[in-house]
Amino acid sequence: MKKKKGRTGRRRTRKRMEVSAVNQSCDIRYVQLRKWLKNRGFRESQLRAVHFPDTGRGLMTTHLLQPGDLIISLPESCLLTTDTVLESYLGNYIRRWCPPVSPMLALCTFLVTERYAGDRSLWKPYLDVLPSSYDCPVYWDPEIVTLLPEPVRQKAEQQRSIVQEFYSSHVLFFRSLQSLFRENPESILSYDAMRWAWCTVNTRTVYMKHAQRDCFSSEQDVYALAPFLDLLNHSPGVQVEAAFNDEIRRYEIRTKVQYRKYDQVFICYGPHDNHRLLLEYGFVAANNPHQSVYVTTGKCMLGLDFLPKKKTTRRVDLIKARDFKILKFSCTHFPQSLANAVKLC
Ligand SMILES: C[S@@+](CC[C@H](N)C(=O)[O-])C[C@H]1O[C@@H](n2cnc3c(N)ncnc32)[C@H](O)[C@@H]1O
């Protein structure tokens, strides 16, 4: 039997983890980012960008944080939203375009054109620390996607089609931006560039609801890119309070759990199972309490055949009535009798 570690053992392990985490805050890109944030009203924070061995880049606290403490407070001027896009050189193009573009398209187009602007971009310090590619299935080789188990494979393929369609259905809008560039706009707003922007918005935005505007389609406008704050990684076990504070016009996050000095600080992206985390964010979480089991209806029906009829008739009727193709069970509530029966099928 594996021997349990004592307090000293645990402390040594923690020390080893700390040693292998690499502080990146002296890297010129983070120095520039902090300077840029400060110029936009962000006050010095106790968070530092660090590369952690288990989660990759994240934020570490240099102070003890108690439940209720503010983790970060980012002024509105640091947030990149559709307001930013409408106030930019893209604003008039968007207002004139018919049918109206979606908030997602506006943000993605802005990200790509700003990245193309390089040193001329007001958002350069932020763009410089964004990942150059992502681990979501839309970046994977199609052969790798085919290796995924059934329900998640279908969703991964759906994601690839969504991004493909997102790009190809807006080529005319990209062409309408010709007067902004010397080159052909399609070479700048290419499929690869839009895929990068789509993943940037999908994996990094915080929820911030904006009023519906006539220049945008009816899709909800709920995105805000939040520089530096978006370096916070996900842990399914933590709780935070996160929202845009309308009174002081800042996006604030408070922790509901304690962090010791030099701990990595986490937020929770939502009660997502590992399928969803893989599809939407390109990673899976260890010890995820929201983990689920997916069973095709056919297999589940076969499994139910092994169980006493009295117990299962209502469930079978429900499955048939709703025409479910795949059933999702939370791991903690997956009935053991059904698990055994499905194993037999
Ligand atoms: C909002 S960003 C967080 C910062 C990100 N790690 C970075 O370097 O920019 C979300 C992305 O971080 C990564 N991530 C977040 N939580 C993670 C975790 N617990 N383990 C591994 N990767 C994680 C995933 O790639 C995810 O798409």
Side-chain angles (χ1 to χ4, degrees):
M1 206 172 87
K2 212 173 157 194
K3 222 175 119 194
K4 261 191 156 183
K5 275 185 192 153
R7 196 188 304 168
T8 314
R10 285 199 299 273
R11 204 177 288 149
R12 279 198 196 119
T13 309
R14 192 168 128 76
K15 203 84 208 150
R16 258 204 314 278
M17 292 282 288
E18 280 163 13
V19 169
S20 45
V22 182
N23 190 338
Q24 301 192 313
S25 51
C26 296
D27 178 324
I28 184 71
R29 292 176 308 148
Y30 298 98
V31 174
Q32 298 288 13
L33 179 65
R34 292 171 80 88
K35 213 160 129 191
W36 179 87
L37 288 166
K38 199 170 160 206
N39 287 340
R40 288 177 175 238
F42 179 64
R43 286 188 290 271
E44 197 51 30
S45 103
Q46 64 259 38
L47 300 173
R48 299 285 176 270
V50 166
H51 188 97
F52 296 93
D54 48 348
T55 56
R57 185 175 59 169
L59 291 179
M60 176 195 83
T61 175
T62 55
H63 291 73
L64 171 79
L65 285 174
Q66 296 289 9
D69 282 353
L70 208 52
I71 296 177
I72 194 163
S73 171
L74 206 58
E76 190 172 23
S77 53
C78 298
L79 301 175
L80 199 171
T81 65
T82 47
D83 286 340
T84 320
V85 183
L86 285 180
E87 283 160 18
S88 78
Y89 48 88
L90 287 178
N92 281 338
Y93 291 86
I94 290 174
R95 284 190 197 90
R96 281 199 303 255
W97 189 252
C98 200
V101 307
S102 64
M104 178 76 164
L105 181 68
L107 283 171
C108 288
T109 308
F110 184 73
L111 279 172
V112 173
T113 53
E114 285 295 296
R115 194 170 63 153
Y116 171 74
D119 289 346
R120 288 174 288 126
S121 169
L122 293 176
W123 294 84
K124 180 176 163 49
Y126 175 51
L127 297 170
D128 281 350
V129 300
L130 285 177
S132 53
S133 73
Y134 292 91
D135 296 324
C136 308
V138 67
Y139 268 87
W140 300 5
D141 281 341
E143 302 89 77
I144 304 286
V145 174
T146 61
L147 302 175
L148 288 169
E150 196 41 49
V152 75
R153 183 189 63 78
Q154 275 176 23
K155 289 197 178 137
E157 278 171 1
Q158 233 171 43
Q159 183 184 76
R160 297 168 74 84
S161 319
I162 288 170
V163 178
Q164 189 70 55
E165 167 73 15
F166 177 68
Y167 171 72
S168 55
S169 58
H170 295 116
V171 169
L172 287 180
F173 171 67
F174 303 148
R175 282 187 199 150
S176 78
L177 305 176
Q178 175 68 73
S179 52
L180 288 174
F181 312 108
R182 268 190 235 120
E183 289 103 295
N184 176 356
E186 280 168 77
S187 66
I188 297 158
L189 291 146
S190 63
Y191 170 76
D192 281 353
M194 289 308 279
R195 176 179 62 167
W196 167 81
W198 189 91
C199 287
T200 302
V201 173
N202 213 41
T203 64
R204 307 186 75 83
T205 44
V206 289
Y207 182 90
M208 185 175 165
K209 196 159 170 48
H210 290 82
Q212 165 81 39
R213 278 159 293 184
D214 291 343
C215 60
F216 289 125
S217 62
S218 58
E219 269 176 49
Q220 284 214 327
D221 187 354
V222 289
Y223 312 105
L225 281 156
F228 194 61
L229 180 154
D230 67 359
L231 295 177
L232 286 162
N233 283 325
H234 165 84
S235 169
V238 303
Q239 286 180 331
V240 290
E241 246 172 45
F244 183 72
N245 184 331
D246 274 315
E247 273 167 37
I248 56 168
R249 311 295 302 168
R250 299 173 87 94
Y251 194 94
E252 296 188 315
I253 305 185
R254 276 176 203 282
T255 179
K256 289 190 174 178
V257 298
Q258 191 196 61
Y259 288 100
R260 288 172 301 176
K261 196 173 169 176
Y262 305 133
D263 274 350
Q264 175 170 195
V265 176
F266 291 96
I267 55 173
C268 181
Y269 299 172
H272 305 321
D273 67 16
N274 279 345
H275 280 196
R276 173 117 187 241
L277 287 177
L278 183 67
L279 286 164
E280 303 284 342
Y281 299 97
F283 75 100
V284 290
N287 307 320
N288 186 349
H290 310 293
Q291 190 42 359
S292 311
V293 179
Y294 291 79
V295 186
T296 59
T297 308
K299 234 183 182 187
C300 193
M301 290 294 213
L302 279 172
L304 289 173
D305 278 349
F306 286 87
L307 299 178
K309 285 280 168 291
K310 224 171 41 193
K311 278 191 176 175
T312 59
T313 315
R314 214 167 51 86
R315 287 182 209 169
V316 171
D317 288 348
L318 188 75
I319 293 169
K320 281 186 182 156
R322 301 269 175 97
D323 193 24
F324 291 126
K325 300 278 179 282
I326 286 169
L327 303 172
K328 177 180 167 185
F329 297 90
S330 116
C331 273
T332 40
H333 294 109
F334 192 68
Q336 189 53 46
S337 49
L338 182 58
N340 294 339
V342 168
K343 260 191 248 160
L344 289 174
C345 303

